[in-house]
Amino acid sequence: MSERIALVTGGSRGLGKNAVLKLAAEGTGIVLTYNSSEREAQDVVREIQQKGVKAVALQLNVGKISTFGDFAKNVQKSLNTVWQRDTFDYLLNNAGTGLYAPYTETTEAQFDDAMNIHFKGPFFLTQTLLPLIKDGGRILNVSSGLARFTQPGSGTYAAMKGAMEVLTRYQAKELGARGIAVNIIAPGAIETDFGGGRVRDNAELNQLLASQTALGRVGLPDDIGDAIAALLSDKLGWMNAQRIEVSGGMFL
């Protein structure tokens, strides 16, 4: 069987970095994207290559839809050069930013930025990359536990994730003819630098969220990276159109 290849947006830091390292540990080749820090991204590439796995890093701002055509050409060039292939197997729409603002104070600019990054971007990036996704491949979108439970200040972000959950079902239905399965993972609170590291660095918030989690703690990056690798494994190839929350049982 030929080497599998995963394209992971936002793969240079946080949960994306953890996911690419877990996928690479299983022998999956990696195309990761970064927004601004090329050095961080190249450090991750070198870490993957030290495992004996091929990897490349490409610049991408998922909120700038007009750049997707050129990005797809760069992906195709990398596939041809590094793997001598025309397609990749897995797409993980992971890249994102945090937004914490009360509904009554959210500006149109904040709304548009969140929509471009968390919904419009993944919508059209996936559409643009479809010719490069292998028939029988997999797409894994990323939602949030906040699309199920509510925390004041996260309404705009959560609404975009809710839209992604609906889109996931339609993608699964319409791409099924190509054998492409589409699912969405919804992490709970995780200790990363996401959103300025609120969950990781604010002890009071961390304790509050842990007290509302059945397993008694907030999540760690490994919890999500392992889950992503499992969801993209061959053992779950028959799972399709599903929302999988990985939160330790938050707000049950």
Side-chain angles (χ1 to χ4, degrees):
M1 183 172 62
S2 62
E3 178 184 4
R4 304 292 176 88
I5 304 169
L7 192 160
V8 178
T9 65
S12 64
R13 58 190 294 185
L15 296 184
K17 175 182 175 180
N18 192 281
V20 300
L21 293 176
K22 292 297 175 66
L23 288 166
E26 297 182 358
T28 301
I30 300 293
V31 179
L32 66 91
T33 79
Y34 63 94
N35 181 24
S36 57
S37 181
E38 182 178 7
R39 187 172 73 174
E40 267 188 338
Q42 294 301 338
D43 286 345
V44 178
V45 167
R46 282 189 287 273
E47 189 172 350
I48 293 169
Q49 291 172 338
Q50 288 170 2
K51 300 177 186 290
V53 177
K54 297 174 183 176
V56 296
L58 299 175
Q59 197 280 330
L60 175 69
N61 182 337
V62 295
K64 291 189 176 180
I65 288 81
S66 62
T67 67
F68 291 173
D70 288 338
F71 173 72
K73 292 177 183 177
N74 290 334
V75 172
Q76 188 168 35
K77 181 178 179 181
S78 296
L79 291 172
N80 291 336
T81 302
V82 178
W83 287 277
Q84 293 77 54
R85 278 184 52 178
D86 297 320
T87 59
F88 63 92
D89 302 275
Y90 311 132
L91 172 61
L92 174 61
N93 282 309
N94 165 76
T97 57
L99 171 62
Y100 303 98
Y103 165 70
T104 54
E105 299 173 15
T106 301
T107 66
E108 185 178 0
Q110 287 176 315
F111 180 95
D112 288 346
D113 190 48
M115 180 179 67
N116 286 337
I117 292 170
H118 292 287
F119 182 54
K120 187 176 180 181
F123 184 109
F124 286 105
L125 180 63
T126 301
Q127 186 187 79
T128 302
L129 292 174
L130 278 175
L132 302 179
I133 299 176
K134 184 178 180 181
D135 287 356
R138 312 272 275 287
I139 297 169
L140 184 60
N141 295 319
V142 176
S143 180
S144 168
L146 291 162
R148 176 179 63 83
F149 51 79
T150 57
Q151 288 288 293
S154 294
T156 303
Y157 171 81
M160 303 307 165
K161 294 303 190 181
M164 283 302 300
E165 293 185 7
V166 174
L167 177 64
T168 294
R169 297 197 300 271
Y170 278 84
Q171 288 174 326
K173 185 74 169 181
E174 296 191 23
L175 300 179
R178 289 184 52 192
I180 296 174
V182 189
N183 295 289
I184 189 162
I185 184 172
I190 308 294
E191 291 186 2
T192 70
D193 61 1
F194 185 78
R198 295 169 84 244
V199 174
R200 181 191 62 195
D201 302 332
N202 184 326
E204 185 178 354
L205 177 63
N206 189 298
Q207 185 177 4
L208 173 65
L209 294 170
S211 72
Q212 296 298 321
T213 302
L215 293 181
R217 64 171 175 84
V218 299
L220 300 172
D222 280 347
D223 295 321
I224 306 303
D226 285 335
I228 288 170
L231 291 171
L232 291 175
S233 72
D234 290 341
K235 293 180 180 179
L236 290 177
W238 191 237
M239 184 175 67
N240 197 16
Q242 299 304 303
R243 176 194 189 270
I244 303 95
E245 184 172 314
V246 184
S247 69
M250 287 187 68
F251 297 105
L252 298 177

